[in-house]
Amino acid sequence: MQEFMDKKLPGIIARIGDTKSEIKILSIGRGAGETDLQIVSRVQAQYPGVCINNEVVELSAEQIAKYKELVAKTSNLENVKFAWHNETSSEYQRRMLEKKEVQKWDFIHMIQMLYYVKDIPATLKFFHSLLGTIAKILIIVVSGPYNIKSVKH
């Protein structure tokens, strides 16, 4: 995963923040936030000074608490706003559809979370519909040691 972050992620996030004063990142099923903060750090490095709005969808309240602790201990997050939603991706989807005001995102990542989704095609279609202009979605499913498969649109 670290090799992926170092070698592949910079190319994946290329252009997501071009001409934008704020980059909106949606993190689905993100656990305690270690990978998220690596992604945020890479985005900050590529777009210095640009504000980042990072919303997190995570079912486990315990993981959200750990994520918040990690953010509190991490420096250089002055330009990053975090919002945590204690819910599943399906609950998030249902809530957004009920609100009828769809937020558009510059970067959505779903890392090691599709295992918990009942209707994968519908889930992917919904989150793909949330992409803004010059936006990307990153999906990673780890199927075994060092065997990382990623799909980006």
Side-chain angles (χ1 to χ4, degrees):
M1 185 62 98
Q2 190 59 49
E3 182 179 344
F4 177 83
M5 290 293 177
D6 294 339
K7 294 185 178 176
K8 300 285 185 186
L9 187 62
I12 292 169
I13 62 173
R15 298 190 59 226
I16 65 166
D18 289 357
T19 71
K20 296 177 182 165
S21 60
E22 178 185 50
I23 298 172
K24 296 175 184 168
I25 300 173
L26 180 61
S27 309
I28 307 296
R30 292 315 315 131
E34 297 92 350
T35 304
D36 278 26
L37 290 185
Q38 285 185 32
I39 291 171
V40 166
S41 175
R42 300 283 176 179
V43 172
Q44 282 182 307
Q46 203 144 337
Y47 301 99
V50 175
C51 293
I52 297 172
N53 175 9
N54 189 57
E55 290 202 23
V56 178
V57 176
E58 169 58 51
L59 175 60
S60 168
E62 182 180 326
Q63 293 287 60
I64 290 174
K66 289 179 182 178
Y67 193 145
K68 289 178 179 180
E69 287 174 21
L70 185 60
V71 166
K73 295 177 192 174
T74 304
S75 60
N76 299 324
L77 294 176
E78 296 81 22
N79 288 340
V80 184
K81 293 182 284 181
F82 290 91
W84 289 271
H85 305 284
N86 186 202
E87 60 194 351
T88 66
S89 63
S90 298
E91 291 167 339
Y92 176 84
Q93 179 177 346
R94 195 168 26 258
R95 186 168 57 84
M96 290 299 107
L97 292 172
E98 286 170 3
K99 283 174 72 174
K100 294 185 175 132
E101 61 179 62
V102 177
Q103 168 85 301
K104 293 293 185 176
W105 300 93
D106 301 306
F107 187 59
I108 299 172
H109 58 89
M110 308 167 87
I111 301 172
Q112 301 184 58
M113 60 72 62
L114 284 178
Y115 318 108
Y116 309 104
V117 172
K118 290 180 182 159
D119 187 347
I120 292 173
T123 298
L124 296 179
K125 183 178 179 180
F126 170 74
F127 284 105
H128 190 266
S129 76
L130 299 183
L131 293 174
T133 307
I134 311 174
K136 295 186 181 176
I137 188 168
L138 172 69
I139 301 160
I140 297 177
V141 178
V142 178
S143 58
Y146 310 108
N147 184 9
I148 297 176
K149 298 176 183 176
S150 68
V151 178
K152 64 178 179 165
H153 296 275

